[in-house]
Amino acid sequence: MSRPLHRGVSGTRNSGNSYDFWDSQVKDKAEKEDLDRNRSSDPGYLSLWFPCRFFCPDNSPSKYGTTDIGFASDPFSIGSPRSRHKLTVLFLKLSLVVIVILALTGSFWWTLSISTSSRSHIFHGYRRLQEQLVSDLWDIGELSLGPSRMKEIEFCPEESENHIPCFNVSENLALGYSDGNEYDRLCGQGSRQSCLVLPPVNYKIPLRWPTGRDVIWVANVKITGQEVFTSGSLTKRMMMLEEEQISFRSASLMFDGVEDYSHQIAEMIGLRNESNFIQAGVRTILDIGCGYGSFGAHLFSKQLLTMCIANYESSGSQVQLTLERGIPAMIGSFNLKQLPYPSLSFDMLHCARCGIDWDKKDGIFLIEVDRVLKPGGYFVWTSPLTNVQSFLRNKEKQKRWNFVRDFAENLCWELMSQQDETVLWKKTSKKNCYNSRKPGSGPPICSKGQDIESPYYRPLQNCIGGTHSRRWLPIEERPTWPSRSNLNKNELALYGLNPEELNEDTANYKTAVRNFWSLLSPLIFSDHPKRPGDEDPSPPYNMLRNVLDMNARYGGLNAALLEAGKSVWVMNVVPTSGPNYLPLILDRGYVGVLHDWCEAFPTYPRTYDMVHAEGLLSLETSQHRRCTMLDLFTEIDRLLRPEGWVIIRDTAPLIGSARALTTRLKWDARVVEIESNSGERLLICQKPFFKRQAI
């Protein structure tokens, strides 16, 4: 199979070297004594030395210390490069203290002296000065830590090729977690990664969509041949191992099973086929334990968007293979905590032999399904447990099935159909159903205090959520896709927005997407030089597939990319440190998640073709940060595929600081001015393809 056109610079690089910024010098004893006598008679030196002695007293027993090689050294000698560095840092710190005090004092009296009417005119300028101060403080803090912080970041060892911080099974077992809870997410202070993850030895750039949906490189994922041939899930079995590739081709007999299966689900709802899902109000589907994404891959051609979630797996990961195919996926678990999605998020939830025992823990997993399911939405469950024929031979299975069936009824779900091993329920569209239940039957309704619309990994709740939300609207009453992405005035009012704000956001991103494509062109085709006078070739529509928007706001980038005809899906991330418009994004028919960017994102390395962040640096610096900009950029590098791109838009001072960090990350980077906004800059980076040397 021929490899498609390179997405970036085709050459590879090997790991680099580090720099030494200061070299110590050695003076003989005679020169040192002569120099000391000259300094003691120099009043200028004494006047400089006295405050240094005051702030930095010498606690050594003798006048001079002794180095490891036996030579005397004065730690504050003016002629020593090391002492010059220490003095420079000292005076920087002292100057910084004076500047901050003067700035705060001046700001206080200046604020009192201005009139209320003039404050609005100077606010933006004042905010810009604050951002400049934050950037300067950041830079000084980095410099004050010495030359070691200026070195290029080292590469991680080979065992970190597929490592995900916050998912450490052995550590969780040591802490006493068991019964599947050891695979849950646990982010501590030591969970950050301070090195750059290299791809496997035989890693290859993924094939472009849609070819990459059906064929992936074996070396790009961690899976064994045994795991390929013994996978038990319905959709896991639909793949074949062919030399260096894993094939999910539609020509195989196995793949026809997915088409027949989705057709069956449509008929159970009362539709002609799966192409009519959209007419029934279905656009977004949460696929629990998705196998390797074949269900979502098939439905994508029907304009349905499927988000796969599955537990962390060290090898043969469902999430990793699904993402490698270009299908939305992330690590998610029902074991202990609520999913990081708002209530009433998805039109359908699907579980095909997903490995979850829905009858366990008094049905609390089914309560979480109900929380994230929209009113009128569907829950599809395929399992041997639901096969009526098996009840005659196994009374235990019948008992478990009866519990799930009765519990679903108490959740006000309607059992619409049951065929073979597949059962389909429909969630109620009417809130009064909960009040009409028999007293004591089923879980209670959450109080307003419990019913948090957008929880962030909160413990599972034993009550029905979402009933207090103003977004309670049956899926059949919502506009169908793609009209759904353009919310009307009344719908936007639920989120505190007006149409003008959304229209402006959409228009800005339409322009941005056009600019992104033209700016990336020279980088993509750098190994295909143009002829004199020719324009840069236009990048292909399928240049990107997996896109991560780190500060999605209203989902404007997602909307603009789809309208421009790009073959992408976007993971819209809403930071926990900013305003939460994730319910709006999901109601528009997109996928997204809440996330704290001081923690590792729940996915495997080398996941995304492009990472976009507008205003994220300003947002994070305005908060009480638990992490640094370097921590953030190291995580971006982990998520990014080789030859992938990073596009960051922010204020000029913060972009300047970010540009300096790209050297340490070994990224190719350039800063672009924005004509419409002189106070902001665009930072465009490309991650090189570094190859680990085979041993």
Side-chain angles (χ1 to χ4, degrees):
M1 176 178 291
S2 62
R3 184 185 169 213
L5 187 63
H6 294 296
R7 298 185 305 164
V9 180
S10 58
T12 60
R13 303 185 184 182
N14 297 320
S15 55
N17 57 351
S18 60
Y19 302 101
D20 293 323
F21 288 89
W22 287 277
D23 296 321
S24 56
Q25 300 176 349
V26 179
K27 301 291 185 179
D28 58 51
K29 186 174 181 181
E31 289 178 344
K32 182 68 67 176
E33 292 174 352
D34 188 44
L35 181 62
D36 290 340
R37 285 194 297 271
N38 293 337
R39 286 176 177 169
S40 63
S41 62
D42 185 357
Y45 171 77
L46 291 175
S47 62
L48 176 65
W49 176 239
F50 181 76
C52 290
R53 283 291 188 185
F54 180 76
F55 286 105
C56 306
D58 186 1
N59 296 323
S60 61
S62 61
K63 182 177 179 180
Y64 302 115
T66 304
T67 65
D68 293 338
I69 57 175
F71 288 91
S73 64
D74 184 352
F76 295 105
S77 173
I78 300 300
S80 168
R82 184 179 298 275
S83 66
R84 287 202 303 271
H85 167 66
K86 290 185 176 180
L87 284 173
T88 302
V89 172
L90 174 64
F91 284 118
L92 279 173
K93 290 180 178 179
L94 291 175
S95 302
L96 180 60
V97 171
V98 175
I99 291 171
V100 170
I101 293 174
L102 291 176
L104 293 175
T105 305
S107 174
F108 175 73
W109 288 110
W110 178 52
T111 303
L112 291 179
S113 64
I114 62 175
S115 64
T116 304
S117 60
S118 62
R119 289 179 185 175
S120 61
H121 298 289
I122 63 174
F123 174 76
H124 294 291
Y126 182 54
R127 176 69 180 272
R128 202 168 291 170
L129 288 174
Q130 286 181 316
E131 291 171 347
Q132 179 68 57
L133 178 60
V134 169
S135 178
D136 292 343
L137 289 171
W138 209 325
D139 292 341
I140 292 174
E142 293 283 337
L143 289 170
S144 66
L145 294 175
S148 63
R149 292 299 298 269
M150 303 304 295
K151 296 179 181 178
E152 288 186 341
I153 300 175
E154 296 180 353
F155 292 112
C156 300
E158 185 175 355
E159 55 267 23
S160 298
E161 285 178 356
N162 295 286
H163 174 64
I164 308 174
C166 300
F167 291 90
N168 191 324
V169 177
S170 58
E171 182 178 320
N172 290 352
L173 287 171
L175 293 173
Y177 291 92
S178 59
D179 298 328
N181 297 330
E182 65 271 20
Y183 297 99
D184 208 359
R185 176 181 180 274
L186 187 64
C187 287
Q189 289 297 324
S191 61
R192 294 175 190 153
Q193 195 157 293
S194 57
C195 55
L196 303 181
V197 180
L198 280 173
V201 172
N202 296 318
Y203 181 88
K204 297 182 180 181
I205 299 298
L207 303 173
R208 285 205 180 131
W209 182 271
T211 305
R213 174 193 60 196
D214 302 326
V215 180
I216 64 173
W217 301 108
V218 175
N220 290 11
V221 295
K222 187 175 182 181
I223 188 170
T224 64
Q226 182 71 13
E227 288 170 328
V228 172
F229 295 119
T230 61
S231 298
S233 168
L234 174 67
T235 51
K236 277 185 180 179
R237 291 199 304 265
M238 299 172 188
M239 61 183 188
M240 298 178 292
L241 188 62
E242 299 177 351
E243 296 182 358
E244 297 182 338
Q245 298 175 337
I246 297 177
S247 174
F248 305 83
R249 295 185 182 279
S250 58
S252 70
L253 296 175
M254 284 291 190
F255 191 86
D256 292 337
V258 173
E259 186 172 352
D260 292 340
Y261 175 65
S262 57
H263 188 86
Q264 177 190 1
I265 294 173
E267 289 182 335
M268 293 172 72
I269 294 176
L271 305 173
R272 184 175 180 179
N273 54 48
E274 63 270 29
S275 299
N276 299 115
F277 274 138
I278 287 181
Q279 281 67 41
V282 177
R283 157 66 179 172
T284 55
I285 300 172
L286 185 65
D287 195 2
I288 306 166
C290 61
Y292 295 138
S294 292
F295 185 63
H298 172 66
L299 294 180
F300 189 84
S301 63
K302 313 299 180 183
Q303 299 187 57
L304 300 174
L305 192 58
T306 302
M307 168 64 76
C308 162
I309 61 167
N311 282 337
Y312 166 77
E313 297 165 290
S314 59
S315 180
S317 166
Q318 303 172 65
V319 171
Q320 187 180 40
L321 266 80
T322 299
L323 286 164
E324 191 69 17
R325 299 183 65 186
I327 309 298
M330 62 174 283
I331 298 173
S333 172
F334 276 83
N335 289 339
L336 293 175
K337 300 170 185 175
Q338 291 180 322
L339 299 171
Y341 309 120
S343 300
L344 319 180
S345 291
F346 296 94
D347 305 314
M348 178 185 285
L349 268 75
H350 172 255
C351 163
R353 299 186 182 181
C354 61
I356 296 179
D357 296 324
W358 298 108
D359 59 310
K360 301 299 183 183
K361 296 188 178 181
D362 299 324
I364 198 168
F365 301 146
L366 289 171
I367 296 176
E368 178 64 2
V369 168
D370 182 85
R371 183 186 71 83
V372 298
L373 194 60
K374 289 182 183 292
Y378 303 96
F379 177 54
V380 182
W381 181 30
T382 298
S383 169
L385 188 65
T386 64
N387 192 327
V388 179
Q389 298 300 323
S390 66
F391 296 164
L392 302 176
R393 300 185 299 270
N394 192 319
K395 296 298 182 181
E396 179 62 25
K397 285 186 177 181
Q398 184 176 7
K399 180 181 178 181
R400 295 178 61 190
W401 159 246
N402 289 340
F403 175 87
V404 174
R405 181 195 60 197
D406 296 341
F407 197 87
E409 183 179 352
N410 289 328
L411 287 172
C412 287
W413 292 1
E414 176 190 357
L415 179 57
M416 294 190 67
S417 181
Q418 184 173 1
Q419 296 182 15
D420 301 325
E421 295 185 350
T422 302
V423 185
L424 186 142
W425 285 277
K426 181 180 177 67
K427 179 178 175 177
T428 184
S429 300
K430 301 176 181 179
K431 294 182 183 179
N432 58 12
C433 174
Y434 302 115
N435 297 324
S436 63
R437 296 176 300 172
K438 294 180 181 179
S441 62
I445 296 175
C446 294
S447 64
K448 285 188 176 181
Q450 291 176 301
D451 198 2
I452 299 175
E453 184 167 56
S454 297
Y456 184 66
Y457 295 110
R458 190 176 65 158
L460 290 168
Q461 302 292 300
N462 194 20
C463 58
I464 298 175
T467 59
H468 299 283
S469 174
R470 296 188 300 168
R471 297 169 45 244
W472 183 282
L473 184 66
I475 61 172
E476 55 266 21
E477 296 180 16
R478 293 178 179 270
T480 58
W481 179 263
S483 301
R484 180 171 170 176
S485 62
N486 300 313
L487 302 180
N488 59 41
K489 182 178 180 180
N490 294 332
E491 291 171 326
L492 287 174
L494 297 176
Y495 316 99
L497 296 175
N498 56 60
E500 290 74 21
E501 291 177 282
L502 189 63
N503 292 337
E504 182 182 359
D505 184 71
T506 302
N508 290 339
Y509 273 109
K510 285 181 181 178
T511 303
V513 166
R514 288 195 298 269
N515 291 338
F516 291 166
W517 243 248
S518 62
L519 288 170
L520 291 175
S521 299
L523 295 179
I524 300 164
F525 296 96
S526 58
D527 53 346
H528 301 281
K530 64 179 183 179
R531 295 179 180 178
D534 289 350
E535 294 184 357
D536 289 319
S538 177
Y541 76 99
N542 61 349
M543 174 183 66
L544 307 171
R545 176 58 187 170
N546 300 356
V547 175
L548 175 68
D549 193 354
M550 300 178 70
N551 187 23
R553 286 176 57 79
Y554 314 139
L557 177 66
N558 195 336
L561 286 169
L562 293 182
E563 187 167 332
K566 312 304 181 185
S567 64
V568 304
W569 70 271
V570 180
M571 177 67 84
N572 295 282
V573 180
V574 174
T576 56
S577 56
N580 181 15
Y581 289 106
L582 184 58
L584 165 67
I585 292 171
L586 294 167
D587 288 348
R588 295 184 71 181
Y590 309 141
V591 293
V593 66
L594 276 177
H595 186 64
D596 179 355
W597 282 115
C598 280
E599 299 172 352
F601 194 72
T603 193
Y604 292 81
R606 303 173 301 279
T607 291
Y608 290 98
D609 301 304
M610 187 180 85
V611 175
H612 172 263
E614 179 174 341
L616 180 67
L617 302 182
S618 294
L619 178 64
E620 293 298 323
T621 54
S622 65
Q623 305 293 321
H624 180 66
R625 293 177 291 109
R626 296 178 288 110
C627 55
T628 66
M629 189 186 295
L630 183 60
D631 295 327
L632 183 65
F633 276 46
T634 305
E635 174 64 3
I636 293 174
D637 186 89
R638 185 183 73 87
L639 301 176
L640 201 61
R641 285 173 171 169
E643 297 187 0
W645 295 274
V646 182
I647 300 179
I648 300 175
R649 176 170 177 168
D650 224 298
T651 61
L654 290 174
I655 289 295
S657 299
R659 174 65 181 87
L661 287 179
T662 60
T663 303
R664 301 186 58 194
L665 294 161
K666 308 175 180 67
W667 293 352
D668 299 323
R670 57 175 172 157
V671 176
V672 178
E673 294 187 355
I674 301 173
E675 293 182 1
S676 60
N677 192 331
S678 60
E680 294 186 347
R681 298 288 187 274
L682 202 64
L683 179 63
I684 301 180
C685 311
Q686 187 172 33
K687 176 182 176 178
F689 188 174
F690 291 102
K691 279 194 172 183
R692 187 182 297 278
Q693 297 299 308
I695 299 176

